[in-house]
Amino acid sequence: MEIGTIGAGDFAQAFAKRVLKAGHKVKMSNSRGLDSLREIVNQLGRGATAATREEAVTCEMVLLAVPWDNVHETLERLPKWKNQILIDGTNPFHGKAGNFMPANVGNLSTSQFVAALAPGARVVKAFNHMPVPNLEADPVVNGARRVAFISADDGGAKKQVQTLLENCGYSVVDLGNLRDGGLIQQAGGPIAGRDFFEKGEYHK
């Protein structure tokens, strides 16, 4: 499968490394254009290509990996969604790394905002609880699998993302819908930033 990314920062690159290792292809995109992506895709290696955002969103599955302050503008400028799966990896923070401030999103999850801004997309919340170093690390440690949490209102889309994550080596836990499950895993939620493993024998 070919997966697009909207954003090409540390999080998107860590995600790309993981899915490339699992045998998928990745179209990386950002707001700065193709030239800024050349070094990134060269480092990622085979299976990674630079793309415009318009090209990236034609993929069956797309990762949203931009700062929260840029979400509205980013989604507003994209073509209309046509039933693609949109993995929401955003967390409610204003500012940039090193100068974060929690954003007030009330009693909604960030994915509910994303879904409202991306009509036609099937939104699945994933990776929100997982810091970049954990995403970069091997998902299997001493025979135990790192847990990845997912939430969605669309059962079919959730199942497809679950299959992708299991293919990458994770043990997947379904937290329910975008609101309730989203609030549990996003920044400020009870499992945000925590590292969970499923015990048991597992061989890659």
Side-chain angles (χ1 to χ4, degrees), residues 3 32 38-39 50 66 68 70 84 102 105 131 142 162 166 181:
I3 304 167
R32 298 185 300 278
R38 287 177 181 169
E39 183 177 349
V66 299
W68 181 244
N70 297 348
Q84 303 99 309
V105 292
N142 296 326
Q162 177 177 343
E166 289 174 345

Side-chain angles (χ1 to χ4, degrees), residues 20-40:
L20 286 167
K21 190 172 183 179
H24 301 284
K25 296 180 179 180
V26 180
K27 283 185 176 179
M28 304 289 292
S29 76
N30 63 12
S31 61
R32 298 185 300 278
L34 297 178
D35 286 345
S36 68
L37 294 164
R38 287 177 181 169
E39 183 177 349
I40 291 171

Side-chain angles (χ1 to χ4, degrees), residues 47-120:
T49 57
T52 65
R53 288 182 168 184
E54 291 76 16
E55 291 169 337
V57 299
T58 64
C59 295
E60 176 185 355
M61 196 175 288
V62 182
L63 174 73
L64 180 64
V66 299
W68 181 244
D69 288 337
N70 297 348
V71 166
H72 188 282
E73 180 184 8
T74 297
L75 293 176
E76 192 176 51
R77 293 185 175 185
L78 293 176
K80 290 184 178 180
W81 294 85
K82 298 178 180 178
N83 217 38
Q84 303 99 309
I85 294 173
L86 178 58
I87 301 174
D88 174 30
T90 64
N91 273 308
F93 286 119
H94 293 306
K96 298 181 179 180
N99 191 31
F100 280 136
M101 291 180 58
N104 181 11
V105 292
N107 64 348
L108 299 177
S109 76
T110 57
S111 295
Q112 288 178 286
F113 285 97
V114 169
L117 292 168

Side-chain angles (χ1 to χ4, degrees), residues 14-15 17-22 127 129-149 162 164-172 195-204:
F15 170 85
K17 290 174 185 175
R18 187 57 50 209
V19 297
L20 286 167
K21 190 172 183 179
F127 296 113
H129 79 290
M130 196 180 295
V132 169
N134 290 351
L135 180 55
E136 289 179 326
D138 196 317
V140 181
V141 179
N142 296 326
R145 289 191 292 169
R146 179 171 274 113
V147 175
F149 297 94
Q162 177 177 343
L164 171 70
L165 298 183
E166 289 174 345
N167 183 232
C168 290
Y170 295 102
S171 175
V172 180
D195 206 11
F196 298 90
F197 288 86
E198 179 187 36
K199 291 183 178 180
E201 292 299 321
Y202 179 78
H203 301 285
K204 292 183 288 183

